[in-house]
Amino acid sequence: MTISVRHLKSHAGETVTVRGWLSNKRRSGKIGFLQIRDGSGIVQVVVSRAEVSEEAWEDVKRVTQESTVRVTGIARADERAPGGVEIQATDFAVRSLTEDYPITNKEHGTAFLMEHRHLWLRSSKQRSTLAIRSEVCQAIRDFFYEREFTLVDSPILTPTSCEGTSTLFETEYFGDKAYLSQSGQLYLEPACAAFGKVYCMGPTFRAEKSKTRRHLTEFWMVEPEVAFLDFEGLIRLAEDFIGFLAGRVIERAATHLEVLERDVSKLEKITGSFPRVTYYEAIEILQSHGIDIAQGDDFGAEDETVLANHFDRPVFVTHFPTDLKAFYMQPDADNPDTVLAMDLLAPEGYGEIIGGSQRIHDHDLLLERLKHHELPIEPFQWYLDVRKYGSFPHSGFGMGIERFIAWMSGAAHLRETIPYPRMLYKIYP
Amino acid sequence: MTISVRHLKSHAGETVTVRGWLSNKRRSGKIGFLQIRDGSGIVQVVVSRAEVSEEAWEDVKRVTQESTVRVTGIARADERAPGGVEIQATDFAVRSLTEDYPITNKEHGTAFLMEHRHLWLRSSKQRSTLAIRSEVCQAIRDFFYEREFTLVDSPILTPTSCEGTSTLFETEYFGDKAYLSQSGQLYLEPACAAFGKVYCMGPTFRAEKSKTRRHLTEFWMVEPEVAFLDFEGLIRLAEDFIGFLAGRVIERAATHLEVLERDVSKLEKITGSFPRVTYYEAIEILQSHGIDIAQGDDFGAEDETVLANHFDRPVFVTHFPTDLKAFYMQPDADNPDTVLAMDLLAPEGYGEIIGGSQRIHDHDLLLERLKHHELPIEPFQWYLDVRKYGSFPHSGFGMGIERFIAWMSGAAHLRETIPYPRMLYKIYP
């Protein structure tokens, strides 16, 4: 019976068959030690020349890295083995012999690995990073499903944009122009009046000519939006969310964190309430660290790192000056020059993970803000309608999935957190 | 305490507060009956003039459809009420008065409703259809998560396409051309060698000038791909999948099926194994129904309906002539002019729900098929690599989410199965 490597342990003592690919082999006289990967895990297979056929032994001799193989044998519990089990082979066969596999155990440059992304996926650190991605994505969906949010997929093809067209991918749409979405928020807000609590999660696009480790042109974003939720409630939702996700990664992706040599003690701190500072306090903290920044300046990536490291935990920065933030954010009643916006900054240099705000729910104020930002009114008419027909206070945030996964997995570059990264000039394979 | 309408029943006898929007009202002398919707459900609120303040009663008189309201009162169990509970109000207030709400209880044309999609979402049938969508999407993810598939998000921006550029949306990509993806399959196959069992689920694009009830230009697709899975296993996976999803909808979306007046007995038949016919048998069945079709012809939408209705259940059509199908499909060993491909056709006119196949795993055969289809080799080199380095038999399928949701919910047109439909010439809001 073919068994997933992941489940071998519960078949100890039984005869099992595993199909997969050779990761590594070592021969010592009449015994071969084969590391076989099947996508669910890696198992060590011990083949003794005396216990298999002549053909099987020939295959042990000729098998190469990444050849497709099939092994049958007895699963034996062994606490020293990874996964707690190894296989004593009774049969072994190469099903497809691999020659000249491009990615070997020696060091390869990133450009080379990126050109071979379709094969690089098989390498252990890539597998573990993307397994964490898979777990995080399911955890996100479970979080919102369990809390009775309705999934409202926002459109990718959109007729307008909030923030100008300079970073937008454009396409022709039956004679008109359309742009690839940068956020689903505007589409979620009307859906709040139908479902109360909604979220979207999908690909998002930014045609930015940035070539940093924190930029992808195509990335995934999750955005919840909640009717009748105030700013305080929004911050608590974000805390619950991040704590839940980190807990799931620690609990269910432990073997992958180990492969990546991630310091789990750092992740264990991501729980409970996070410290909060206002924008003004944040600037003072940065100044106290000797950074040349003034009240009213926007944060750079470096500033975010200093701030989060100052607390050694994720930190909320709140109450930003109105001019630094988007047109739709609700002014703070106590200080109308600031908005009820928050950024959640991660420690260890992972920067802004979440950005959110309470939204303006007063029709005339939103209209005034659109005009102040010199945005056209007509394309936003439907968005204004949310304030015209049964307006309601509401709040939401957005989180870039890849940044969160980089933080969890300890990845130095976002390109490893998505199966097929798209970056400046980089769209192959 | 603010309670979701969905949870009112477990607060019977308690004083509760509900925030939401007025769906409907009726007054009978000194008693008002208000239907209030909060996104999680609808509850009837009874307001007696004698039991509320003068202001509250004035608000009962002036409140209009889609006004934002807040009500406090005693939750009372009442088996006749929808949801089994109603509220006897002690306080009521209009928070935002709505005037001239465009969508009233009278009939509106579809063009008008589509122009107001951001408001149409609030209507009961739209809410129920999209709630089913939300449930289906989570069920899909749960199905694959529970079966230990790894989520491998395939890219949207791609450098090439399998099937020519005539139905592709094109965008400039830093001086090059890129196309919006029509399938993640090619990207999943290499990932099989890393994870064994993978799936992707995301938006897909087709710039087709079709204006039928079965076409969207932007739709969501789910695609599993499994290493070492043969054609028989693929069919069983598809059966399990569809049966699981239908079961979840019946179990967890019952109230929405009721709103939509869906004949649940039709959905209850979607379980166990489905009938199978080969393409050749299918043509004969169509001919026996008097349809003018010959061996070698492709099916039209009408033919699919006749076939599925013939069985009154979903039916697999298998073993298509090679020329009717894509280049990457595995020939049938017993009959090399046919491929190991299957379409799952739904009854009631919902047509093709799933299309899948075993993939060619022989490098030279795939190369030959590429040449036969006059496709360029160089852009497919990475795809050929999957057969070069540790090749393995594998199979997968794709399912259009909106078609499945239309089937479940009984929707006549795909446009109601996605929050913000994109169709020919239609991209607002």
Side-chain angles (χ1 to χ4, degrees):
Chain A
M1 200 169 97
T2 302
I3 304 291
S4 288
V5 167
R6 191 190 310 223
H7 297 297
L8 278 178
K9 205 175 176 181
S10 55
H11 293 270
E14 297 172 27
T15 295
V16 295
T17 294
V18 166
R19 291 180 294 192
W21 298 267
L22 187 87
S23 283
N24 217 338
K25 87 167 167 185
R26 192 159 54 82
R27 257 198 313 141
S28 168
K30 292 174 181 173
I31 301 186
F33 298 93
L34 311 176
Q35 306 285 334
I36 294 176
R37 181 190 85 236
D38 77 340
S40 81
I42 293 193
V43 64
Q44 173 157 285
V45 175
V46 183
V47 195
S48 300
R49 185 176 180 168
E51 288 169 32
V52 296
S53 68
E54 190 64 31
E55 286 146 289
W57 186 250
E58 284 306 309
D59 271 3
V60 169
K61 287 201 281 187
R62 74 182 180 114
V63 67
T64 54
Q65 186 200 347
E66 291 306 321
S67 289
T68 315
V69 300
R70 180 190 164 101
V71 63
T72 298
I74 313 286
R76 285 197 312 212
D78 183 342
E79 282 313 317
R80 296 160 308 172
V85 67
E86 65 174 29
I87 295 174
Q88 179 70 46
T90 54
D91 193 21
F92 176 78
V94 171
R95 305 307 291 257
S96 171
L97 191 71
T98 290
E99 291 172 63
D100 306 320
Y101 187 66
I103 302 175
T104 57
N105 287 329
K106 70 166 198 227
E107 282 282 313
H108 295 283
T110 303
F112 177 85
L113 292 169
M114 288 287 283
E115 280 297 301
H116 293 84
R117 182 61 175 170
H118 57 296
L119 302 175
W120 192 24
L121 294 175
R122 306 184 187 186
S123 299
S124 64
K125 290 197 176 179
Q126 302 308 310
R127 285 203 318 274
S128 283
T129 307
L130 294 175
I132 289 172
R133 178 189 179 93
S134 180
E135 184 61 47
V136 165
C137 289
Q138 184 70 23
I140 290 171
R141 298 196 180 268
D142 290 349
F143 179 86
F144 290 117
Y145 184 73
E146 289 165 10
R147 281 156 189 78
E148 300 172 343
F149 281 63
T150 300
L151 172 68
V152 172
D153 293 306
S154 57
I156 307 300
L157 293 167
T158 57
T160 43
S161 131
C162 309
E163 304 173 51
T165 59
S166 67
T167 64
L168 287 170
F169 288 107
E170 182 182 305
T171 187
E172 204 200 281
Y173 194 82
F174 307 111
D176 275 334
K177 281 180 181 175
Y179 305 94
L180 303 192
S181 175
Q182 298 197 327
S183 161
Q185 180 201 323
L186 301 197
Y187 293 94
L188 288 179
E189 293 184 47
C192 274
F195 302 106
K197 299 187 277 190
V198 299
Y199 83 101
C200 68
M201 182 164 163
T204 323
F205 303 86
R206 207 166 273 267
E208 242 173 326
K209 287 212 162 182
S210 302
K211 212 174 174 175
T212 83
R213 65 194 178 84
R214 282 160 77 166
H215 282 93
L216 297 169
T217 57
E218 178 180 327
F219 56 100
W220 282 62
M221 191 143 77
V222 56
E223 297 171 88
E225 191 77 30
V226 184
F228 304 112
L229 188 72
D230 64 11
F231 188 59
E232 175 63 28
L234 181 73
I235 287 181
R236 276 187 279 120
L237 179 68
E239 280 171 346
D240 286 352
F241 181 60
I242 294 294
F244 177 87
L245 298 185
R248 271 279 283 262
V249 169
I250 293 168
E251 183 195 325
R252 301 200 192 172
T255 57
H256 300 298
L257 293 172
E258 210 174 297
V259 167
L260 296 167
E261 299 172 49
R262 183 71 175 105
D263 182 351
V264 177
S265 71
K266 302 258 192 217
L267 302 184
E268 283 165 348
K269 286 184 192 164
I270 308 167
T271 183
S273 300
F274 304 145
R276 302 179 193 183
V277 291
T278 66
Y279 166 84
Y280 294 93
E281 291 164 345
I283 294 290
E284 282 172 10
I285 291 169
L286 289 170
Q287 287 168 342
S288 79
H289 281 269
I291 288 171
D292 182 23
I293 193 168
Q295 295 291 352
D297 289 354
D298 211 346
F299 300 132
E302 190 58 38
D303 304 323
E304 292 174 353
T305 301
V306 171
L307 269 174
N309 286 348
H310 179 84
F311 292 94
D312 193 28
R313 301 186 54 201
V315 56
F316 285 107
V317 183
T318 67
H319 299 84
F320 287 80
T322 308
D323 291 343
L324 288 185
K325 289 289 181 181
F327 72 89
Y328 47 70
M329 295 187 177
Q330 174 75 7
D332 180 17
D334 298 332
N335 183 357
D337 293 337
T338 67
V339 285
L340 297 176
M342 59 84 163
D343 286 355
L344 181 66
L345 308 181
E348 302 180 80
Y350 290 101
E352 186 193 322
I353 293 292
I354 278 180
S357 71
Q358 186 169 333
R359 321 306 190 184
I360 292 173
H361 61 277
D362 182 80
H363 178 276
D364 295 348
L365 177 59
L366 184 62
L367 190 61
E368 191 234 279
R369 297 302 301 160
L370 280 168
K371 286 177 182 161
H372 178 82
H373 281 255
E374 294 175 352
L375 287 162
I377 304 307
E378 197 269 329
F380 288 99
Q381 200 55 61
W382 64 277
Y383 183 66
L384 282 160
D385 276 0
V386 181
R387 283 75 183 168
K388 194 169 169 188
Y389 302 115
S391 189
F392 52 98
H394 57 289
S395 301
F397 65 74
M399 181 178 90
I401 308 295
E402 287 76 14
R403 286 192 178 188
F404 183 77
I405 294 160
W407 180 23
M408 290 298 106
S409 59
H413 198 299
L414 291 193
R415 68 181 161 230
E416 304 191 19
T417 63
I418 187 164
Y420 295 93
R422 269 53 181 129
M423 301 184 296
L424 186 60
Y425 306 123
K426 166 74 192 137
I427 195 176
Y428 176 90
Chain B
M1 201 168 97
T2 302
I3 304 290
S4 288
V5 167
R6 191 191 309 225
H7 298 297
L8 277 178
K9 205 174 175 182
S10 56
H11 292 270
E14 297 172 28
T15 295
V16 295
T17 294
V18 166
R19 291 180 294 191
W21 298 266
L22 188 87
S23 283
N24 217 338
K25 87 168 169 185
R26 190 160 56 81
R27 259 200 310 143
S28 168
K30 292 175 180 172
I31 301 186
F33 299 93
L34 312 175
Q35 306 286 333
I36 295 175
R37 181 190 86 236
D38 77 340
S40 80
I42 293 193
V43 64
Q44 172 157 285
V45 176
V46 182
V47 196
S48 300
R49 183 175 181 170
E51 286 169 33
V52 296
S53 67
E54 191 64 31
E55 286 147 290
W57 186 250
E58 284 306 310
D59 270 5
V60 169
K61 287 201 282 188
R62 75 183 179 113
V63 66
T64 54
Q65 187 200 346
E66 291 305 320
S67 289
T68 315
V69 300
R70 180 190 163 103
V71 62
T72 298
I74 313 285
R76 285 196 313 210
D78 183 342
E79 282 313 317
R80 296 161 308 172
V85 66
E86 66 174 28
I87 295 175
Q88 178 70 47
T90 54
D91 194 21
F92 176 77
V94 171
R95 306 306 292 257
S96 171
L97 190 72
T98 289
E99 290 172 63
D100 305 320
Y101 186 67
I103 303 176
T104 58
N105 287 331
K106 70 167 197 227
E107 283 281 312
H108 295 282
T110 303
F112 177 85
L113 291 170
M114 288 288 282
E115 280 296 302
H116 293 84
R117 182 63 176 168
H118 57 296
L119 303 175
W120 192 24
L121 294 175
R122 306 184 187 188
S123 299
S124 65
K125 290 197 175 181
Q126 302 307 309
R127 284 202 320 273
S128 282
T129 308
L130 294 175
I132 289 172
R133 178 188 179 93
S134 180
E135 185 63 45
V136 165
C137 289
Q138 184 70 23
I140 290 170
R141 298 196 180 269
D142 289 349
F143 179 87
F144 290 116
Y145 184 74
E146 288 164 12
R147 282 156 189 78
E148 300 173 342
F149 281 63
T150 300
L151 172 69
V152 172
D153 294 305
S154 57
I156 306 300
L157 294 168
T158 56
T160 43
S161 131
C162 309
E163 305 173 50
T165 59
S166 67
T167 63
L168 288 171
F169 289 107
E170 182 183 304
T171 187
E172 204 200 283
Y173 195 81
F174 307 111
D176 276 333
K177 279 180 181 175
Y179 305 94
L180 303 193
S181 176
Q182 299 197 327
S183 161
Q185 180 201 323
L186 301 197
Y187 292 93
L188 288 178
E189 293 184 47
C192 275
F195 302 106
K197 298 187 278 190
V198 298
Y199 83 102
C200 68
M201 182 165 163
T204 323
F205 303 87
R206 207 166 274 267
E208 242 173 325
K209 287 212 164 182
S210 302
K211 212 172 174 177
T212 85
R213 64 193 179 84
R214 283 160 76 165
H215 281 93
L216 297 169
T217 57
E218 176 180 328
F219 55 100
W220 282 62
M221 192 144 76
V222 56
E223 295 171 89
E225 190 76 31
V226 183
F228 304 111
L229 189 72
D230 63 12
F231 187 58
E232 175 63 27
L234 181 73
I235 288 181
R236 276 187 279 119
L237 180 67
E239 280 171 346
D240 287 352
F241 180 60
I242 295 294
F244 176 88
L245 299 185
R248 271 279 285 261
V249 169
I250 293 167
E251 183 196 326
R252 302 200 192 172
T255 58
H256 300 298
L257 294 172
E258 210 174 299
V259 168
L260 296 167
E261 300 172 49
R262 184 73 175 103
D263 181 351
V264 178
S265 72
K266 302 258 191 217
L267 303 185
E268 282 164 349
K269 287 184 192 163
I270 308 167
T271 182
S273 301
F274 305 144
R276 303 180 193 183
V277 292
T278 65
Y279 166 85
Y280 293 94
E281 292 165 344
I283 294 289
E284 283 172 10
I285 290 170
L286 288 171
Q287 288 167 342
S288 79
H289 281 270
I291 290 172
D292 182 23
I293 193 168
Q295 295 290 351
D297 290 353
D298 211 346
F299 300 132
E302 191 57 38
D303 304 324
E304 292 175 353
T305 300
V306 171
L307 270 174
N309 286 348
H310 178 85
F311 292 94
D312 193 28
R313 300 187 54 201
V315 55
F316 285 107
V317 183
T318 66
H319 300 84
F320 288 80
T322 308
D323 291 343
L324 288 185
K325 289 289 182 181
F327 71 91
Y328 47 71
M329 295 187 177
Q330 175 75 6
D332 180 18
D334 297 333
N335 183 358
D337 293 338
T338 67
V339 285
L340 297 176
M342 59 86 163
D343 287 354
L344 181 66
L345 308 180
E348 301 179 80
Y350 291 101
E352 186 195 322
I353 293 292
I354 278 180
S357 71
Q358 186 168 332
R359 321 305 191 184
I360 292 173
H361 61 276
D362 182 79
H363 179 276
D364 295 347
L365 177 58
L366 184 62
L367 191 61
E368 191 234 280
R369 298 301 302 160
L370 280 167
K371 286 176 182 161
H372 178 83
H373 281 255
E374 294 175 352
L375 287 161
I377 304 305
E378 197 269 328
F380 288 99
Q381 200 54 62
W382 65 276
Y383 183 66
L384 283 159
D385 277 0
V386 179
R387 284 74 183 167
K388 195 170 171 186
Y389 303 114
S391 188
F392 51 100
H394 56 289
S395 302
F397 65 74
M399 180 179 90
I401 307 296
E402 287 77 14
R403 287 191 178 188
F404 183 78
I405 294 160
W407 180 22
M408 291 298 107
S409 59
H413 197 300
L414 291 192
R415 68 182 160 229
E416 304 191 18
T417 63
I418 187 164
Y420 295 93
R422 269 51 182 132
M423 301 184 297
L424 185 61
Y425 306 123
K426 166 74 191 137
I427 194 175
Y428 175 90

